[in-house]
Amino acid sequence: MKRHIFCATATLITSIGFASAAAAQTKWDFATAYGPGNFHSKNNELFVKDVDAATGGKLKITPHFGASLFKMPEIKRAVQTGNAQMGEFFLVSFQNESQIFGVDGLPFLVSNYDEAFKLYQAQKPALQKLLDKQGQVLLYSVAWPPQGIYTKKPINSAADLKGMKWRVYSPTTARIGELIGAQPVTVQEAELAQALATGVVDGLITSSATGADNKLFESLKYYYNVQAWIPKNAVTVSKKAFAALSKSEQDALLKAAATAEERGWKESREVDVRSIAALKAGGMTVDPGSAQLKADLAKVGDTVIKEWIEKAGADGKAILDAYKAK
């Protein structure tokens, strides 16, 4: 009888132990819109592994790639409402919410990665403050390669873009389309290949990485590497979810985030080189753009930046002043 009682007690203690361990584990969903092969996704996957190792498995983050959990425009809101604990979104796509989100999409404000990172440092305090008000904590932000122009036909000036069905992904790209006389069409990256194949769009401005990932050389023939701007993705976490973690788990999460940010920026540079090589290998003509095209686009950029400053007000001016000071 005593043996039965002992066994039952031991089983109960073991069960309680397993239940306690399960209760101690926190599980998060991480929503992102890019496929698992994208360099942002690979960086995010390494981040998830780093967090798992650093917390001894206490914080389990499950990444959902390819907009499988939420579509790109829905991800930011999902984190704000707590429907996903973590998410990745393209900052410039939310410029209509706040001009702060759109600063790294301003044409020809930066011309290389070093300048883009300095702009990020100038933007970061205002970005963190804005996201905090929206119930989010900024974990890390990683740049895309510089943006260039993809077309079916050769172009030598902005006039050659007039009438083109121009894919847009942000207020700035839409405004550029208006200024050059193109027809703006909103298309998310997940729908880009189909939009090109069906003739919904026949020109766009995006990164070398997006071009290579989506095999744009199958539909378009020219890539003008004008390096118009260097936009970023942001990875955020719900403030409520973050606050529920222990101090050691918060520290581990932030340390892994800092590593992911440094790793992501380094990888972005390397991806740009590899992606341009892939475009060429796919039969695409890669060109830096004529002097006339660059001059025309610079004028468009001046207009867009001026309009942005007017809308952004003192906060926007402070970011640009801090950037120029760097």
Side-chain angles (χ1 to χ4, degrees):
M1 180 70 178
K2 288 182 178 179
R3 185 169 178 236
H4 286 309
I5 292 172
F6 174 78
C7 291
T9 303
T11 301
L12 179 61
I13 291 171
T14 302
S15 299
I16 291 172
F18 281 131
S20 298
Q25 188 180 75
T26 301
K27 295 182 179 180
W28 284 359
D29 287 314
F30 182 0
T32 179
Y34 308 98
N38 180 271
F39 83 96
H40 284 287
S41 296
K42 290 179 179 178
N43 187 41
N44 293 337
E45 199 163 29
L46 289 172
F47 163 78
V48 167
K49 290 179 180 178
D50 287 346
V51 171
D52 185 70
T55 62
K58 289 183 179 179
L59 178 54
K60 288 285 187 182
I61 303 172
T62 301
H64 300 269
F65 300 115
S68 58
L69 191 61
F70 294 97
K71 292 181 179 179
M72 167 71 87
E74 301 169 349
I75 291 175
K76 179 174 172 292
R77 183 65 181 170
V79 177
Q80 287 179 237
T81 57
N83 288 320
Q85 290 78 23
M86 279 185 64
E88 177 186 39
F89 58 93
F90 196 33
L91 283 168
V92 296
S93 292
F94 295 90
Q95 187 176 330
N96 282 337
E97 282 188 18
S98 171
Q99 296 301 312
I100 301 302
F101 288 131
V103 68
D104 55 334
L106 296 177
F108 302 102
L109 181 61
V110 304
S111 58
N112 55 58
Y113 277 99
D114 289 341
E115 291 178 2
F117 191 76
K118 289 177 182 178
L119 180 61
Y120 172 41
Q121 299 312 300
Q123 175 198 27
K124 195 171 185 178
L127 184 60
Q128 289 174 315
K129 183 178 179 181
L130 174 59
L131 289 169
D132 181 74
K133 288 181 179 178
Q134 295 183 341
Q136 300 176 81
V137 176
L138 175 65
L139 290 179
Y140 54 95
S141 185
V142 173
W144 284 92
Q147 305 288 284
I149 298 174
Y150 293 83
T151 62
K152 284 187 175 181
K153 62 180 183 180
I155 57 173
N156 292 304
S157 69
D160 294 329
L161 298 169
K162 189 174 182 179
M164 185 176 293
K165 287 177 283 187
W166 179 260
R167 177 254 182 166
V168 303
Y169 57 70
S170 69
T172 295
T173 50
R175 181 59 178 142
I176 290 172
E178 293 173 0
L179 291 171
I180 62 177
Q183 302 175 37
V185 182
T186 301
V187 177
Q188 300 303 322
E189 183 177 342
E191 304 161 347
L192 185 54
Q194 183 180 359
L196 286 165
T198 56
V200 173
V201 297
D202 52 22
L204 66 153
I205 187 165
T206 192
S207 70
S208 58
T210 299
D213 287 351
N214 291 277
K215 298 182 179 179
L216 297 191
F217 46 77
E218 293 181 351
S219 301
L220 304 172
K221 297 302 179 186
Y222 298 89
Y223 176 61
Y224 294 93
N225 191 17
V226 294
Q227 303 194 37
W229 60 88
I230 301 178
K232 303 186 298 293
N233 282 357
V235 173
T236 66
V237 59
S238 157
K239 275 178 66 176
K240 186 176 180 180
F242 183 79
L245 298 176
S246 67
K247 179 63 167 59
S248 62
E249 289 168 343
Q250 289 179 349
D251 290 343
L253 187 73
L254 294 176
K255 183 177 180 180
T259 299
E261 185 167 277
E262 182 178 355
R263 179 177 58 226
W265 278 78
K266 180 176 182 292
E267 181 64 12
S268 182
R269 292 174 184 259
E270 295 171 2
V271 164
D272 187 34
V273 174
R274 293 199 302 268
S275 296
I276 289 175
L279 295 178
K280 291 178 179 178
M284 185 169 273
T285 298
V286 176
D287 190 284
S290 69
Q292 183 62 56
L293 177 62
K294 290 180 178 179
D296 292 344
L297 293 175
K299 289 180 182 178
V300 170
D302 289 342
T303 299
V304 172
I305 292 173
K306 181 180 178 182
E307 292 174 349
W308 182 86
I309 292 173
E310 291 172 354
K311 293 177 182 177
D315 289 341
K317 185 177 183 301
I319 291 173
L320 295 188
D321 287 345
Y323 165 62
K324 291 174 183 176
K326 290 177 181 294

